Amino acid sequence: MTPAARAVVEAARELVRSRRWYLELPPERPLPARLEDTLDRAIAALDAEEADRARG
């Protein structure tokens, strides 16, 4: 992943983390706003892909 793409992912991750904190939502509950929920699912997919790559 390029440094610019990594920065975008980290910004999205921080947005999702702060919204969850603000709304007091546990990780298993979807965020109420469509954009935030979409970002949350995209981040989870990227994390899973990176974990698969790390395992070989």
Side-chain angles (χ1 to χ4, degrees):
M1 189 177 297
T2 67
R6 172 66 57 199
V8 170
V9 169
E10 289 305 316
R13 187 169 298 182
E14 182 57 32
L15 171 67
V16 168
R17 187 176 13 247
S18 66
R19 290 303 290 162
R20 283 195 176 284
W21 174 82
Y22 179 76
L23 297 171
E24 299 179 356
L25 288 176
E28 64 276 0
R29 286 216 29 224
L31 287 161
R34 184 173 169 218
L35 175 60
E36 293 163 351
D37 186 51
T38 301
L39 282 174
D40 194 25
R41 287 185 281 119
I43 290 166
L46 286 171
D47 287 344
E49 187 177 300
E50 282 190 23
D52 284 345
R53 256 190 265 138
R55 281 187 239 138

